[in-house]
Amino acid sequence: MIRVLDVAAFGEATTGLALVVAPSFVGKGLLGEALTGAAIPTARVAGIALIAVGIACWRNSAVGMLMYSTAVTFYIAYVGLWGGFSGILLWPAVALHALISILLSRDY
């Protein structure tokens, strides 16, 4: 049976790879605006971090993924409500991170 942590780790690593390869495309999908200028290398660094989080959590402790996913849930919801950004994938991402956080928290 696939564990929630494995699915979450794979999802974060995949998102990280997408940020490294096509940061403007991911920005457009999540925030409704293509990334430009300094946001491109910043997004790529974030993508590398997401890949690292995914690898670190793969079949390992859920604590890191729980903390990351919970923080991201609140932050991207804030960005959508008060930050002035909202792409077509923002609210599905909020819902997915909230669900992952809830499922991972059941172990604690």
Side-chain angles (χ1 to χ4, degrees), residues 19-46:
L19 278 168
V20 170
V21 173
S24 285
F25 179 76
V26 176
K28 182 75 171 169
L30 286 174
L31 305 173
E33 294 184 22
L35 303 180
T36 61
I40 300 264
T42 303
R44 287 191 169 129
V45 169

Side-chain angles (χ1 to χ4, degrees), residues 1 3-4 62 66 99-108:
M1 181 173 183
R3 297 180 347 177
V4 173
L66 174 60
L99 176 63
I100 289 168
S101 297
I102 291 166
L103 293 174
L104 288 173
S105 69
R106 295 184 318 170
D107 293 336
Y108 297 100

Side-chain angles (χ1 to χ4, degrees), residues 17-97:
L17 181 60
L19 278 168
V20 170
V21 173
S24 285
F25 179 76
V26 176
K28 182 75 171 169
L30 286 174
L31 305 173
E33 294 184 22
L35 303 180
T36 61
I40 300 264
T42 303
R44 287 191 169 129
V45 169
I48 292 166
L50 287 178
I51 292 168
V53 165
I55 291 169
C57 291
W58 193 261
R59 300 219 180 257
N60 207 341
S61 171
V63 175
M65 185 62 73
L66 174 60
M67 301 314 291
Y68 167 78
S69 194
T70 301
V72 167
T73 299
F74 286 107
Y75 179 68
I76 62 178
Y78 169 83
V79 166
L81 291 171
W82 295 287
F85 295 102
S86 185
I88 192 168
L89 298 177
L90 181 73
W91 293 110
V94 170
L96 181 60
H97 278 284

